[in-house]
Amino acid sequence: MSRAPARNGAAPRRPGDEDDICPVCKSSRYLNPSMRFLVNPECYHKMCESCVDRIFSHGPAPCPVAGCARTLRKARFRRQTFEDLHIEREVDIRRRVAGVFNRREEEFESLRDWNNYLEEVENLTWNLLQGVDVKETEEKLDAYKEQNEEGIKQNAAIESQENANTEAQFAAQKEQARLRREAALNEELDERREKEEGMREMVDMMAKGDGDADTIARESQKVVLKKSTARRTAAEKSRQQAAAVPLFSIQGLKPLTQAAPEKEYDPFGGYAIKPEYYYLRDHYEHSWLDSARSDAQITAGGYDVGEYCARAMMEAFGGLGVFVQDEIGGRQMRAEKGVGTASAAAAGGGGEEGVDGDVL
Amino acid sequence: MKFNIEDLPVLFPYPRIYPEQYAYMCDLKRTLDAGGHCVLEMPSGTGKTVSLLSLIVAYQQYYPEHRKLIYCSRTMSEIEKALAELKALMKYRADQLGEEEQFRGLGLTSRKNLCLHPSVKKEKSGAIVDARCRSLTAGFVKEKKERGEDVDVCVYHDNLDLLEPHSLVPNGVFTFDGILKYGEQHKQCPYFTARRMMPFCNVIIYSYHYLLDPKIAERVSKELSKDCIVVFDEAHNIDNVCIESLSIDLTEDSLRKATRGANNLERKITEMRSSDAEKLQNEYAKLVEGLRGADEAREEDTFMANPALPDDLLQEAVPGNIRRAEHFVAFLKRFVEYLKTRMKVLHVISETPPSFLQHLKDLTFIEKKPLRFCAERLTSLVRTLELTNIEDYQPLQEVATFATLAATYDKGFLLILEPYESDTATVPNPILHFTCLDAAIAIKPVFDRFSSVIITSGTISPLEMYPKMLGFTTVVQESYSMTLARRSFLPMIVTRGSDQSAISSGFQIRNEPGVVRNYGTLLLEFSRLTPDGLVVFFPSYLYMESIISMWQGMGTLDEIWKYKLILVETPDSQETSLALETYRTACCNGRGAILLCVARGKVSEGIDFDHHYGRTVLCIGVPFQYTESRILKARLEFLRETYRIRENDFLSFDAMRHAAQCLGRVLRGKDDYGIMVLADRRFQKKRTQLPKWINQALLDSDTSLSTDMATASAKKFLRTMAQPFSERDQAGVSTWDSKDLERHKEKMEKEKIRELRNGGGKMEVDGMDGLSNGQNGIDGDDFEDEDMDALMRDVDAE
């Protein structure tokens, strides 16, 4: 009876309990042992649960702490995780920043870039924490979020998948440990049983009375020893097998990478139609070209001077890049590869010409 | 005495040598030649240290490599003894060779023991001495002084800079007293002399911790060269030392202090930003490059690896988010705050580092990588800020080390949070144990770095346990028996009391009046017949207290009073040393005394009861560890899963090594004699786990005695011991002079030739024998041990 209050008296010894007085209603843990404190991430002012009920049940109201007039809602009140409210706030901010800046190390070319990125992020967080250039920082944050929406989503998905994996792994490991423990226990029990059996057999043999007691004892000892070594090797073997076939645990897998978006259809199959040996200008200064440009008789029919220039240049340079010897060598090579590929190559070559023709 | 082992001439400082010493030296030489590790068990009191030193010194001087010897021992007194032994040896060598050799031998101990500074040395606590010393001797203090600022410095330390850095002391061996005296004469600091001279010494003698504790080893021992010969003496507890050096306990108080430390750091950073921002900028620039910049790059093997700071960490740059000092301090604060919230939980938690990290990340967004860099980053910051009162940051340093270890090792560590001190406590006093389960982690760098590591002790059976637990392979693994001209010690196992019922300290029956009375009678009988000192070991303080109070109730103590003075060891070390002193006085005059102590206490390790200080040692009960401890349970499970050592095997091994340690306390030499009584039914089955030299002397007829039989046998033994015995009787049998040694060598030679002729057949048989013996050592445990099983069930229930 007399011990109970003593225990209660000892309870406030816990850290953080010394200031166990609600700053709003001034009730203390002494009067209300089940008092819980809640904070709102809006302003991080601490108050007890009954205060929250009293003040905020009828909708949003200003914070009752003097000098803080922020409007708070009841739904957002929660228990604090950390004793230090600064840390509580810091972690909230970090959660928000980490939700946006969730790039992964694999995405960076070098370690230094990754580290620079980390520092950059840390700087942003630091600014938010210390209240330096908050507006600018927020803007940066939003801008980044908008720009990289897709990437953020992807990385978040990867991360959640990773978390699920590790959790599964932990569970599997626990299960394995339990199994191993059980196996060890069973092994021990078996061993003991065997030993007892051996003992009993030996006593039986001795009771029957045939043979010398010493020899019987020695014989039975040998039998027990043999059995135990056999069992041990069997256990070792099964253990090795178990080790060889792990329960599902795949490590070192690269995280899933999103397949590259499908490329636009390219009718030329990757052949460039850009001239190789010359540079086509938009405008060529020439008197009769000028007249062609301005002459309604010519332009009305859809004649394009540019087209003409391109063709003229093409004709002038055509064949310059062709080295017959190489072509022959190439053709022979292709022929060796097989008829199918050779014809395909020929068709490809034809295609090339066709392309040129098209341009012309 | 001078003799050759193979081609190596050995100078042994005594005219006679024991056969086992010779065998020990031969095996040592084999190990050194082969360049591998070894485990050697040599009976206590047979001159292990002197044979070790004389062989290794001879080896150093004879071969051109001059391999350095690092001799690690456990206690200050043992280190001092070894130094004195070395000094005598070198003197003998000088006399024999007719010239002083180029040889330096130094010992290292804490600043507290070696300080000469008039005010600092008056401090009582070692931590304060360390801190004050650092504040006087740190590098930046000197810089400030040169800049003309008014700072306190230590004259003794600064005088060292005037000397040539490679010869601060002349050649020779210095004991601690010697170096203190030399330091006083030449006004130079003995501690720093020893530390700075370490690269130039032939022999270094210091405590295990200088090599095993990563924090200390990093500073003191990392520059030792690769071919050093490392010796761990009295190494039967080495696995525990390894584990302790990497285990960290955090309490609420230490976390509070850590927060305070972090706040201090923050303030200092702000100060420095305003006054000397350049320094912080420099540090920042360096960290961008990597922990140890390109100029300081760790060459492949200049330094010993540090388990708390893996190599790959040094090559990498510090993660960006803790590069700036402010960010890092905020990071630390967040981590400490997280630990505080964890401490609030009111039920026991045990989790692996990965799951801890996962939870940490979920809650505070602290990633694994910056955590790994935590300890090193903090060191760098402390250096940059030029902090003098480092002891204030000790808790913070601890937290940082904890962070680094937790993030570095997935396996071999476990976090255990115990919210209550005991099961019955109602007031929470949480402790977060970060326990190392794998002894191999701490000692791995030592085995990796040094080619010859010698692990030796008087009681290190079963030998194969140590390589298994510490993860190394041996070239030589040997246990020596004791050659005796007469049976000078009498081991006995008492299994029954005077009423013929079994006695045991097992859990179910330990408090039964019958058992307690039987133990009481046993003690009474031995106090009657033992001349001078009688030492009694109990498995725990708790049991000792309860049994003493029961004896008091039964009147046993009143009876004992008639014969001996009774003294008791307590957990308080000052009380204990007082009791010890009184015990010694009582043994020297009068009827002698009884010392009641605990098998894992201070007395059982490192205090010798030679000659009349201990004629009988009585081991009441098997000294098992407290199996309810969660840390032990975790370790047992780890040992089973990783090294395939069964729980029962380990517990039994651990109990027996402590029992053997206790027994070894009374016999400290060949002219000494004593009775060793193991009083528990369960010892009968554990006999094979005793060291070879004790087991050999234990006759089969003495393995299951009742109290009266034991008394009779002990009386008979004491009567034989009372017969006159002269030095001459020992000669040729248990001590050899050079002629005997020659004879022995010839015999060995002949034996070898015969063996070769026989095609080595005998050798194989020998090897097999040893193997099966070893097997028995492991298998010979008892499965009928009810209380052990009961204990183990609890382990499994976890």
Side-chain angles (χ1 to χ4, degrees):
Chain A
M1 271 293 280
S2 63
R3 285 201 70 91
R7 210 177 298 159
N8 267 350
R13 208 200 52 77
R14 288 196 63 72
D17 285 3
E18 294 97 61
D19 52 335
D20 255 2
I21 295 175
C22 172
V24 179
C25 63
K26 311 291 183 207
S27 77
S28 69
R29 191 173 291 282
Y30 182 74
L31 297 171
N32 180 11
S34 61
M35 189 163 66
R36 291 202 311 162
F37 287 110
L38 299 174
V39 289
N40 193 316
E42 199 62 45
C43 64
Y44 294 96
H45 284 132
K46 194 161 84 167
M47 59 194 86
C48 73
E49 212 170 3
S50 63
C51 282
V52 172
D53 282 340
R54 184 166 49 83
I55 301 170
F56 302 101
S57 345
H58 304 295
C63 176
V65 174
C68 171
R70 282 176 206 249
T71 312
L72 308 179
R73 281 160 210 282
K74 192 185 172 189
R76 294 204 64 195
F77 273 95
R78 58 179 167 87
R79 297 201 66 176
Q80 67 187 84
T81 331
F82 296 96
E83 197 191 311
D84 189 346
L85 283 170
H86 294 288
I87 303 284
E88 185 85 26
R89 177 170 161 262
E90 179 175 345
V91 167
D92 283 338
I93 291 175
R94 273 178 198 281
R95 180 168 296 125
R96 201 154 63 88
V97 175
V100 178
F101 288 99
N102 60 356
R103 289 225 177 260
R104 305 170 66 79
E105 192 175 346
E106 303 91 87
E107 292 176 57
F108 290 86
E109 275 184 0
S110 72
L111 190 67
R112 178 172 279 210
D113 293 332
W114 163 241
N115 280 332
N116 288 341
Y117 160 78
L118 282 180
E119 196 187 342
E120 188 87 359
V121 174
E122 190 67 30
N123 274 334
L124 286 179
T125 320
W126 187 255
N127 284 350
L128 287 179
L129 283 177
Q130 303 290 321
V132 187
D133 309 330
V134 177
K135 206 170 146 229
E136 244 169 69
T137 317
E138 290 283 0
E139 267 167 19
K140 260 190 210 167
L141 207 69
D142 288 341
Y144 179 85
K145 195 173 177 181
E146 234 158 76
Q147 276 171 20
N148 300 289
E149 218 172 336
E150 200 58 29
I152 290 170
K153 230 183 259 168
Q154 265 171 38
N155 281 342
I158 293 174
E159 204 166 323
S160 71
Q161 194 193 340
E162 264 181 4
N163 284 347
N165 277 351
T166 44
E167 230 147 78
Q169 227 171 41
F170 286 151
Q173 269 169 10
K174 231 178 218 172
E175 178 62 16
Q176 260 177 321
R178 197 184 60 78
L179 287 178
R180 274 197 304 258
R181 222 175 353 237
E182 235 162 53
L185 201 68
N186 284 340
E187 199 177 304
E188 219 159 289
L189 283 178
D190 282 353
E191 197 169 307
R192 189 172 317 159
R193 208 174 37 237
E194 232 158 60
K195 215 167 187 178
E196 272 165 18
E197 255 166 40
M199 199 70 174
R200 213 176 306 127
E201 258 167 44
M202 187 181 81
V203 171
D204 281 351
M205 290 266 277
M206 281 183 182
K208 274 179 204 153
D210 30 280
D212 178 36
D214 276 345
T215 28
I216 292 174
R218 223 176 298 131
E219 282 299 310
S220 57
Q221 194 113 43
K222 243 183 232 167
V223 171
V224 169
L225 204 69
K226 209 180 261 175
K227 268 187 192 166
S228 77
T229 35
R231 197 179 31 70
R232 202 164 286 184
T233 45
E236 192 59 40
K237 206 175 260 175
S238 72
R239 205 175 289 132
Q240 274 167 3
Q241 275 168 358
V245 188
L247 286 181
F248 87 105
S249 80
I250 310 162
Q251 276 177 342
L253 268 189
K254 270 226 159 174
L256 273 182
T257 43
Q258 203 79 3
E262 211 164 283
K263 280 180 200 150
E264 255 177 82
Y265 176 65
D266 181 9
F268 306 127
Y271 280 112
I273 48 167
K274 271 184 79 176
E276 225 177 310
Y277 299 99
Y278 58 89
Y279 175 70
L280 200 61
R281 264 191 259 166
D282 293 340
H283 190 81
Y284 287 93
E285 211 53 54
H286 211 281
S287 53
W288 61 275
L289 277 180
D290 282 342
S291 64
R293 272 188 199 108
S294 50
D295 193 346
Q297 265 185 332
I298 295 170
T299 51
Y303 188 85
D304 184 9
V305 178
E307 286 279 288
Y308 166 77
C309 293
R311 197 177 63 203
M313 292 296 275
M314 168 83 191
E315 276 168 357
F317 285 93
L320 264 189
V322 178
F323 301 100
V324 182
Q325 287 305 316
D326 290 358
E327 289 273 306
I328 291 167
R331 202 182 303 145
Q332 272 169 354
M333 284 253 287
R334 263 175 273 165
E336 275 160 26
K337 265 188 204 165
V339 186
T341 39
S343 63
E352 192 175 9
E353 274 160 38
V355 170
D356 291 345
D358 235 342
V359 173
L360 292 171
Chain B
M1 176 172 175
K2 187 177 174 179
F3 54 89
N4 280 344
I5 294 178
E6 287 160 28
D7 56 334
L8 175 72
V10 178
L11 284 170
F12 190 73
Y14 297 100
R16 284 161 188 284
I17 186 170
Y18 298 155
E20 53 270 24
Q21 284 179 324
Y22 179 71
Y24 185 76
M25 288 191 199
C26 290
D27 281 334
L28 264 180
K29 178 163 185 302
R30 259 205 299 151
T31 314
L32 296 182
D33 285 341
H37 314 311
C38 72
V39 180
L40 300 173
E41 181 181 67
M42 172 98 153
S44 56
T46 50
K48 192 177 355 131
T49 313
V50 71
S51 21
L52 214 151
L53 288 175
S54 57
L55 182 97
I56 293 179
V57 170
Y59 198 89
Q60 283 179 333
Q61 300 294 340
Y62 184 71
Y63 292 106
E65 297 100 1
H66 294 299
R67 291 168 69 178
K68 185 184 292 203
L69 167 65
I70 305 166
Y71 181 96
C72 305
S73 198
R74 201 179 36 182
T75 60
M76 174 79 178
S77 64
E78 274 158 2
I79 294 168
E80 183 79 67
K81 244 190 290 180
L83 277 169
E85 202 80 79
L86 180 66
K87 191 166 179 147
L89 171 71
M90 292 320 290
K91 187 160 176 292
Y92 178 79
R93 283 184 73 93
D95 287 348
Q96 289 292 308
L97 298 171
E99 49 154 355
E100 291 267 338
E101 287 165 295
Q102 282 280 326
F103 189 89
R104 262 199 203 100
L106 284 178
L108 185 63
T109 177
S110 64
R111 288 179 167 92
K112 184 176 171 291
N113 297 325
L114 287 180
C115 188
L116 285 177
H117 191 274
S119 78
V120 175
K121 76 173 171 192
K122 284 196 192 106
E123 298 286 353
K124 289 270 184 316
S125 128
I128 297 179
V129 173
D130 285 1
R132 286 202 53 193
C133 179
R134 268 195 215 108
S135 68
L136 294 176
T137 56
F140 59 86
V141 174
K142 205 177 144 211
E143 279 172 30
K144 273 188 191 163
K145 180 89 180 168
E146 275 165 11
R147 266 182 269 141
E149 287 176 45
D150 184 29
V151 280
D152 280 338
V153 290
C154 178
V155 186
Y156 292 95
H157 173 255
D158 289 353
N159 279 348
L160 286 181
D161 297 338
L162 308 175
L163 297 168
E164 268 189 77
H166 56 83
S167 63
L168 299 174
V169 282
N171 282 336
V173 178
F174 287 87
T175 58
F176 289 139
D177 277 341
I179 196 143
L180 275 172
K181 232 175 255 161
Y182 183 86
E184 193 61 71
Q185 276 165 12
H186 294 77
K187 293 275 173 248
Q188 69 185 64
C189 175
Y191 175 78
F192 281 101
T193 308
R195 259 185 70 173
R196 290 191 193 167
M197 285 305 289
M198 272 172 55
F200 311 105
C201 279
N202 299 70
V203 177
I204 302 166
I205 300 183
Y206 55 32
S207 150
Y208 292 166
H209 299 279
Y210 287 105
L211 212 53
L212 293 181
D213 194 322
K215 287 177 287 261
I216 309 175
E218 169 76 1
R219 298 209 186 90
V220 178
S221 309
K222 64 179 179 183
E223 283 177 58
L224 297 172
S225 71
K226 230 176 154 59
D227 63 347
C228 290
I229 303 165
V230 178
V231 176
F232 289 104
D233 199 358
E234 304 292 332
H236 46 270
N237 257 344
I238 195 165
D239 55 321
N240 292 335
V241 176
C242 293
I243 280 175
E244 272 159 32
S245 70
L246 284 183
S247 295
I248 295 169
D249 283 356
L250 295 174
T251 58
E252 286 193 323
D253 186 49
S254 67
L255 286 183
R256 253 197 306 280
K257 280 186 186 148
T259 311
R260 210 177 307 145
N263 288 337
N264 277 350
L265 275 185
E266 199 172 20
R267 218 178 30 249
K268 291 268 177 192
I269 290 170
T270 342
E271 271 172 30
M272 188 161 255
R273 268 264 173 255
S274 54
S275 67
D276 199 358
E278 196 187 326
K279 265 193 190 134
L280 281 174
Q281 197 51 45
N282 281 346
E283 187 206 23
Y284 172 82
K286 221 189 278 169
L287 290 177
V288 172
E289 291 303 321
L291 271 178
R292 308 254 155 107
D295 51 339
E296 266 186 272
R298 191 202 283 218
E299 283 165 43
E300 251 328 279
D301 15 79
T302 4
F303 299 141
M304 191 163 78
N306 180 349
L309 183 72
D311 264 337
D312 55 332
L313 214 109
L314 287 178
Q315 273 132 33
E316 248 195 76
V318 172
N321 44 5
I322 56 169
R323 255 188 328 216
R324 279 183 57 193
E326 294 89 346
H327 294 172
F328 177 63
V329 172
F331 174 89
L332 274 180
K333 273 168 130 179
R334 207 155 16 116
F335 184 63
V336 173
E337 209 56 37
Y338 168 78
L339 289 178
K340 277 188 190 164
T341 55
R342 288 304 298 263
M343 292 285 225
K344 280 189 195 151
V345 180
L346 289 182
H347 57 92
V348 176
I349 295 176
S350 83
E351 61 177 349
T352 54
S355 96
F356 170 79
L357 291 178
Q358 184 67 30
H359 189 246
L360 174 68
K361 195 178 148 200
D362 291 346
L363 229 66
T364 56
F365 300 93
I366 290 179
E367 296 272 348
K368 182 176 172 181
K369 204 165 157 205
L371 265 192
R372 281 185 74 185
F373 285 84
C374 213
E376 197 60 11
R377 178 69 186 87
L378 182 63
T379 317
S380 154
L381 182 63
V382 165
R383 214 177 292 141
T384 313
L385 291 177
E386 302 183 346
L387 299 173
T388 44
N389 42 351
I390 293 180
E391 78 273 14
D392 292 352
Y393 301 94
Q394 191 62 38
L396 192 62
Q397 188 90 47
E398 219 157 69
V399 170
T401 316
F402 160 69
T404 303
L405 284 174
T408 309
Y409 292 100
D410 287 352
K411 288 209 177 82
F413 283 89
L414 198 69
L415 276 126
I416 298 173
L417 175 77
E418 286 187 320
Y420 297 102
E421 250 167 317
S422 63
D423 289 338
T424 51
T426 50
V427 181
N429 181 20
I431 299 181
L432 184 68
H433 302 282
F434 182 67
T435 60
C436 174
L437 305 174
D438 193 355
I441 293 176
I443 205 167
K444 190 171 176 290
V446 177
F447 283 121
D448 284 353
R449 174 140 184 85
F450 301 112
S451 53
S452 294
V453 178
I454 293 153
I455 289 181
T456 181
S457 170
T459 54
I460 197 164
S461 289
L463 296 179
E464 57 278 348
M465 200 68 143
Y466 287 87
K468 226 175 179 179
M469 277 195 306
L470 301 176
F472 68 102
T473 48
T474 55
V475 284
V476 177
Q477 183 171 314
E478 195 59 66
S479 177
Y480 307 93
S481 57
M482 202 166 178
T483 50
L484 292 167
R486 59 170 185 172
R487 199 165 169 231
S488 70
F489 65 103
L490 175 74
M492 289 190 287
I493 298 176
V494 177
T495 55
R496 285 160 292 142
S498 46
D499 58 357
Q500 301 301 321
S501 62
I503 50 172
S504 163
S505 68
F507 224 65
Q508 286 94 350
I509 59 164
R510 60 159 53 171
N511 284 325
E512 271 177 30
V515 174
V516 175
R517 191 179 328 107
N518 274 333
Y519 274 134
T521 336
L522 183 70
L523 181 61
L524 177 61
E525 290 296 333
F526 274 93
S527 67
R528 249 184 214 149
L529 63 88
T530 309
D532 303 320
L534 167 62
V535 193
V536 186
F537 287 100
F538 292 89
S540 69
Y541 283 112
L542 221 65
Y543 184 51
M544 179 167 81
E545 276 159 27
S546 84
I547 205 170
I548 289 177
S549 71
M550 281 171 91
W551 280 344
Q552 175 67 27
M554 289 172 183
T556 317
L557 289 187
D558 295 335
E559 281 293 305
I560 297 172
W561 267 118
K562 290 180 187 162
Y563 303 99
K564 301 268 180 214
L565 203 61
I566 303 174
L567 293 154
V568 184
E569 180 193 4
T570 60
D572 184 282
S573 73
Q574 275 186 333
E575 258 175 16
T576 304
S577 45
L578 190 67
L580 258 173
E581 209 174 294
T582 322
Y583 173 81
R584 293 235 153 100
T585 327
C587 288
C588 289
N589 32 28
R591 288 172 304 189
I594 294 180
L595 186 63
L596 304 176
C597 37
V598 172
R600 288 161 196 279
K602 181 175 168 257
V603 173
S604 72
E605 299 259 336
I607 289 175
D608 295 345
F609 297 101
D610 51 336
H611 298 102
H612 62 284
Y613 291 126
R615 284 306 181 199
T616 301
V617 60
L618 191 60
C619 203
I620 289 183
V622 184
F624 282 116
Q625 276 187 67
Y626 174 61
T627 34
E628 284 301 292
S629 140
R630 292 201 174 76
I631 297 173
L632 177 62
K633 280 182 192 168
R635 179 151 185 233
L636 287 176
E637 174 143 5
F638 177 83
L639 284 173
R640 175 163 50 74
E641 304 223 317
T642 318
Y643 296 120
R644 313 244 61 93
I645 298 171
R646 294 232 211 109
E647 280 102 334
N648 275 335
D649 290 344
F650 180 77
L651 285 176
S652 161
F653 148 77
D654 185 66
M656 288 315 282
R657 71 172 163 187
H658 277 99
Q661 234 347 265
C662 297
L663 297 185
R665 294 295 104 201
V666 291
L667 200 73
R668 309 311 299 179
K670 288 204 168 176
D671 50 345
D672 200 358
Y673 67 92
I675 303 169
M676 303 169 172
V677 185
L678 294 161
D680 193 308
R681 184 178 55 83
R682 296 170 293 180
F683 276 121
Q684 209 180 340
K685 295 230 170 75
K686 298 190 191 305
R687 187 191 156 177
T688 44
Q689 286 166 305
L690 282 170
K692 193 176 164 194
W693 57 280
I694 296 181
N695 200 3
Q696 247 178 8
L698 180 60
L699 301 178
D700 280 336
S701 58
D702 286 340
T703 52
S704 177
L705 301 175
S706 63
T707 306
D708 44 334
M709 288 152 80
T711 321
S713 162
K715 274 182 182 155
K716 204 172 127 217
F717 169 75
L718 287 173
R719 220 168 285 138
T720 49
M721 284 298 111
Q723 303 310 309
F725 183 71
S726 69
E727 283 282 315
R728 233 176 308 123
D729 297 333
Q730 288 194 20
V733 185
S734 63
T735 57
W736 288 344
D737 52 19
S738 10
K739 267 185 218 145
D740 292 323
L741 191 64
E742 284 308 312
R743 230 173 286 141
H744 171 77
K745 266 194 203 160
E746 261 168 45
K747 212 172 101 192
M748 291 310 284
E749 205 71 8
K750 272 182 197 154
E751 196 103 312
K752 214 184 214 168
I753 293 167
R754 212 178 53 222
E755 254 164 40
L756 284 177
R757 275 197 199 130
N758 293 348
K762 191 176 169 294
M763 282 281 277
E764 254 168 55
V765 175
D766 262 350
M768 288 293 284
D769 254 16
L771 207 71
S772 61
N773 268 342
Q775 279 285 328
N776 281 342
I778 301 180
D779 290 351
D781 55 0
D782 40 331
F783 297 104
E784 287 110 297
D785 246 352
E786 300 86 7
D787 63 292
M788 265 280 273
D789 300 335
L791 296 176
M792 289 319 303
R793 244 170 272 135
D794 296 328
V795 174
D796 296 321
E798 178 64 16

